[in-house]
Amino acid sequence: MKSQHPRLRELKFTLYRIFRNPSAVIGFLLILFFLAVAVFAPYIAPPKYAHNPYLMPHKGFSPTPKPPSKTHILGTASGQYDIFYGVVWGTRTAFKIGLFVVGFAALVGIALGAIAGYYGGTVDEVLMRITDIMWAVPTLVLAMTIVVAFGRGLDKIMIALALVGWRWYVRVIRSEILTLRDQDFVQAAKIMGVSDTKIILRHILPNAIYPALIMASMDMGSMVITASFMSFVGLGAPKGYADWGQMVALARNYIVGPPDDPLKFWYTIVIPGGCIVLFVLGWNLIGDALRDAFDPKLRRR
Amino acid sequence: MRFNGLSRHNRLNRLNLVIMLAYITRRSLLLILVLFGVSVLIFGILMTFSPERRAATFVSSPQQAKDIPRIIKQFGLDDPFYVQYIRWIKEVFKGNLGWSLVASRPVSEAFWNYFPVTLEMNLFAAPIVIIFGIWLGTLSGIHRDTWIDHSTRILAIVGWSLPTFLFALVLLMIFYGYFQIFSPGVLSDHLSMFILDNPDSFKAYTGLYTLDGILNGRLDITLNALSHLVLPVLTYVIVVVALNMRVMRSGMIEELSKEYVITAIAKGADKHTIHIKHARRNALLPVITVAGQLVAYSMEGSVAVEVVYNRHGIGWWLAESAVQLDIPVLMCICLFMAVIFVITNLTLDILYAYIDPRIRLN
């Protein structure tokens, strides 16, 4: 019998380990659901303004939210913005934020971490000191400062978070590479005259990438949380933009209803808020399952 | 005579001290470098504003717009970067951090007004986070893969996935809106008015209302401040305890699989002693790091809590300044965070080197 390629076998084994875990299945289902909503957004909630589908349609300007009805199945927020429309298109916004921020941060972080770890010496020293400086200020505070400098807006928030987020990956990848660098298979490749770039890409990174993958999965959630908080404060999307954080901000003055019915406007906050929580939960469940699947101590037992 | 056990012990001790001091000096120098880097970084970020825009913050009405070129000249806003940086950092060392629009007073003065509010919340939250984290983490580490472990795991993941500001809003909706027991703010209105009106009878010794209430013999103020702390502390604890718990759990699992534990079991030590006396003590090391990070990042968690519960602390000030473009405040808070980060890290380094000799020799 012809045996499989070892990398393929390893992948199969990893996938088996991941999907044996029920929380991973729930996580993947959640994210698949959101992905489907994001992809089919134009069919689920046809845009009213063709030039900018992210603008939530609204009828009138009454500040009081209206409960779910036939025309607005999830009700309307303050300013009569349709919550259903906002939630559907907000899924796209969330994916945009997560993919851009995490993609950029992971790419830059992994590249810098690989260079620092593999070459060592002065390069390592300089890169790590720069990373140290970036570490000293918490994500939210630094990101807020950058947003203020660049001007408000969702795109500015994404740029700011990407500029702050890479520092995690540098440290993780570097420490992984430090343990791999002096192992026999790397030395063997060097003696055979393989170029440094090829050693890093073909031989070292595939062995060092898992912690970064876990982190990226968790980051998809936490970056969306941070971005939605900044939108909530008023640094992000303008009023009426389909963004979950901005929708929570719209609900802010209506968390307490009239005295006879204090929970009257629950839907304005629970629906967009629930979307944020489920989205983040999905990524965290995946990250948690990945950690179990890749943990070498638990791996083959 | 000189070579008896005691004097050799002394000499070793002295050697240890020298190594320790050298290690601390090296770490301190690195951290000073970090502080310098942060100040350049922050100054650099905010220098991306054009001189005109920075001058505009000195102007209050459109009629004064013609003064802008004069202001740029007077304050040297178009000087080279390093000239402006040196001018700024000199003022920072003198304690002059500029003027805060939000607080309408000097930044350094406003800082000490806002800081106690944040400190008070963290003082109440931190012990709860650490104790619960260690306790739950130990439990789920010992009873790994049982229902205890699974439920703490679910708690951790859900805690991680809850955005602080959202959780705070929902708690406010339930407890303030529906049950009408806890209200936002730091103190009830009638009490804060009383304090404003009678600055002589209620002295702000510490700025922490819970403590000042006791010191001034006004237990009602202490109780009122405590009732305003319940929701913020609860929010903060639920969101943050997860991290501590997971680190403790994996530490416990790792320690319990080591050989000394097997030896202890073989020698017939009882389970409780092994878990608490042997394994937990060793598993606490990584938790110290996490607790240190918590201190450094506590301000970040405070931002969302303070914004939603309308507590005028450092976090609220930061958010408000970001919205109103109050740049000196942003710079001040970034620097403050960096200083806290550096101090916690130095403490952790020393603590670690003290506990684990391998670190200081490396």
Side-chain angles (χ1 to χ4, degrees):
Chain A
M1 201 178 95
K2 195 172 161 265
S3 67
Q4 286 172 314
H5 190 280
R7 213 159 248 168
L8 195 70
R9 203 174 57 216
E10 197 63 17
L11 183 73
K12 267 193 177 163
F13 179 69
T14 305
L15 284 179
Y16 161 74
R17 277 203 61 107
I18 292 174
F19 285 102
R20 209 183 48 178
N21 191 339
S23 70
V25 178
I26 300 173
F28 274 106
L29 283 179
L30 276 172
I31 296 307
L32 271 181
F33 170 73
F34 278 116
L35 197 64
V37 171
V39 170
F40 297 111
Y43 304 100
I44 301 172
K48 196 175 164 195
Y49 314 110
H51 62 283
N52 188 357
Y54 287 100
L55 279 181
M56 291 153 72
H58 65 121
K59 278 204 180 92
F61 294 92
S62 161
T64 320
K66 288 210 180 68
S69 64
K70 264 196 185 135
T71 45
H72 304 288
I73 42 175
L74 294 179
T76 59
S78 172
Q80 302 312 310
Y81 294 103
D82 185 34
I83 293 180
F84 177 72
Y85 186 91
V87 163
V88 169
W89 283 85
T91 315
R92 275 200 176 187
T93 314
F95 271 107
K96 268 203 318 204
I97 297 171
L99 290 175
F100 175 80
V101 173
V102 175
F104 179 90
L107 266 184
V108 172
I110 289 171
L112 290 181
I115 291 169
Y118 185 75
Y119 291 104
T122 322
V123 183
D124 183 36
E125 194 66 26
V126 171
L127 280 176
M128 291 324 286
R129 291 296 82 79
I130 294 174
T131 317
D132 279 351
I133 292 169
M134 295 290 291
W135 264 92
V137 188
T139 314
L140 180 64
V141 181
L142 194 53
M144 271 188 170
T145 313
I146 297 177
V147 169
V148 168
F150 287 178
R152 276 172 219 179
L154 204 60
D155 46 340
K156 308 291 176 9
I157 288 184
M158 281 156 64
I159 294 170
L161 285 176
L163 286 179
V164 178
W166 56 268
R167 52 190 188 173
W168 292 84
Y169 298 90
V170 175
R171 284 204 172 172
V172 168
I173 286 286
R174 177 177 171 271
S175 68
E176 284 291 310
I177 286 185
L178 282 183
T179 61
L180 288 169
R181 192 175 61 179
D182 298 324
Q183 284 190 14
D184 290 343
F185 70 95
V186 178
Q187 297 299 332
K190 257 189 199 164
I191 289 166
M192 286 194 284
V194 183
S195 71
D196 281 351
T197 332
K198 210 168 174 189
I199 292 181
I200 293 177
L201 289 179
R202 285 286 299 275
H203 301 288
I204 291 185
L205 271 188
N207 289 303
I209 201 91
Y210 297 120
L213 270 186
I214 297 164
M215 190 173 267
S217 172
M218 302 292 228
D219 248 11
M220 284 291 288
S222 63
M223 287 301 169
V224 167
I225 288 186
T226 314
S228 64
F229 176 65
M230 288 206 270
S231 271
F232 171 74
V233 170
L235 291 172
K239 197 178 171 195
Y241 191 89
D243 168 70
W244 294 335
Q246 191 277 135
M247 292 175 71
V248 175
L250 275 181
R252 194 179 176 186
N253 291 334
Y254 292 90
I255 50 170
V256 178
D260 54 314
D261 187 10
L263 297 183
K264 192 175 174 193
F265 304 118
W266 63 272
Y267 49 87
T268 57
I269 177 160
V270 169
I271 293 169
C275 286
I276 303 179
V277 173
L278 288 179
F279 187 84
V280 176
L281 184 68
W283 287 110
N284 280 348
L285 285 172
I286 293 176
D288 200 59
L290 288 182
R291 180 162 44 208
D292 276 3
F294 292 139
D295 188 347
K297 278 181 206 131
L298 302 171
R299 204 167 157 89
R300 296 197 193 271
R301 261 196 196 164
Chain B
M1 277 290 156
R2 298 287 308 156
F3 295 101
N4 59 26
L6 192 74
S7 90
R8 209 171 78 200
H9 183 75
N10 273 343
R11 254 194 332 212
L12 268 181
N13 257 353
R14 201 165 300 155
L15 183 69
N16 251 340
L17 195 71
V18 170
I19 293 174
M20 189 84 178
L21 278 179
Y23 173 78
I24 292 172
T25 323
R26 205 171 61 226
R27 294 299 305 170
S28 318
L29 284 178
L30 268 183
L31 289 169
I32 289 172
L33 185 78
V34 166
L35 269 187
F36 170 72
V38 168
S39 69
V40 173
L41 176 77
I42 300 304
F43 195 72
I45 290 174
L46 295 165
M47 280 290 283
T48 52
F49 280 118
S50 66
E52 285 78 18
R53 277 191 72 182
R54 276 178 289 136
T57 52
F58 295 99
V59 173
S60 52
S61 69
Q63 286 80 28
Q64 288 174 299
K66 60 177 189 301
D67 286 346
I68 285 181
R70 190 183 57 79
I71 293 171
I72 292 178
K73 214 164 183 107
Q74 188 186 341
F75 293 96
L77 296 182
D78 52 358
D79 286 348
F81 182 84
Y82 69 95
V83 176
Q84 295 197 47
Y85 173 77
I86 291 169
R87 196 185 298 137
W88 173 69
I89 206 80
K90 264 186 191 160
E91 289 298 313
V92 170
F93 274 114
K94 277 190 228 154
N96 176 12
L97 285 151
W99 181 265
S100 164
L101 282 172
V102 172
S104 53
R105 65 180 84 182
V107 171
S108 45
E109 194 190 314
F111 181 85
W112 294 112
N113 261 318
Y114 293 123
F115 182 62
V117 176
T118 309
L119 182 69
E120 191 170 29
M121 192 194 86
N122 281 293
L123 281 182
F124 278 93
I128 303 179
V129 167
I130 291 170
I131 290 170
F132 265 84
I134 290 174
W135 179 57
L136 288 174
T138 314
L139 261 187
S140 53
I142 294 172
H143 304 283
R144 185 176 162 199
D145 289 335
T146 62
W147 65 270
I148 301 178
D149 189 22
H150 291 313
S151 43
T152 54
R153 182 184 196 148
I154 291 169
L155 186 74
I157 295 179
V158 171
W160 259 137
S161 308
L162 277 177
T164 318
F165 72 102
L166 204 64
F167 187 50
L169 279 174
V170 171
L171 283 186
L172 205 57
M173 189 164 97
I174 296 169
F175 286 101
Y176 177 54
Y178 191 74
F179 293 114
Q180 302 190 335
I181 30 180
F182 300 122
S183 50
V186 182
L187 272 185
S188 293
D189 286 342
H190 66 278
L191 288 175
S192 41
M193 288 312 273
F194 167 80
I195 291 171
L196 275 180
D197 291 343
N198 306 290
D200 298 327
S201 67
F202 190 89
K203 289 199 175 63
Y205 295 106
T206 56
L208 313 173
Y209 283 120
T210 45
L211 210 58
D212 282 347
I214 296 173
L215 291 177
N216 284 298
R218 288 290 303 263
L219 279 182
D220 56 325
I221 290 183
T222 301
L223 287 177
N224 192 280
L226 277 178
S227 83
H228 282 86
L229 270 167
V230 172
L231 288 187
V233 169
L234 184 67
T235 316
Y236 189 76
V237 166
I238 299 265
V239 173
V240 174
V241 81
L243 175 71
N244 234 338
M245 196 165 79
R246 296 301 286 179
V247 172
M248 189 68 206
R249 173 186 178 270
S250 51
M252 255 332 250
I253 289 175
E254 197 177 328
E255 289 303 323
L256 284 176
S257 68
K258 283 189 178 165
E259 281 171 0
Y260 72 89
V261 173
I262 298 169
T263 313
I265 295 171
K267 284 169 95 177
D270 74 305
K271 262 192 168 167
H272 186 77
T273 318
I274 295 173
H275 290 157
I276 305 304
K277 285 227 163 129
H278 297 297
R280 189 168 77 180
R281 182 165 295 177
N282 287 319
L284 273 175
L285 254 176
V287 176
I288 294 178
T289 321
V290 176
Q293 280 172 359
L294 272 186
V295 175
Y297 284 84
S298 58
M299 295 296 149
E300 186 169 4
S302 314
V303 180
V305 172
E306 286 177 3
V307 167
V308 174
Y309 292 120
N310 198 23
R311 300 172 65 81
H312 291 195
I314 297 285
W316 175 87
W317 196 29
L318 171 77
E320 203 63 21
S321 305
V323 174
Q324 299 189 22
L325 295 183
D326 197 348
I327 291 156
V329 177
L330 291 172
M331 291 171 126
C332 162
I333 293 179
C334 281
L335 282 182
F336 171 66
M337 299 282 174
V339 169
I340 287 201
F341 176 86
V342 161
I343 292 174
T344 5
N345 266 303
L346 196 60
T347 320
L348 281 183
D349 280 342
I350 294 171
L351 208 61
Y352 257 165
Y354 180 72
I355 297 171
D356 188 347
R358 283 169 304 179
I359 293 172
R360 56 179 179 255
L361 290 172
N362 193 346

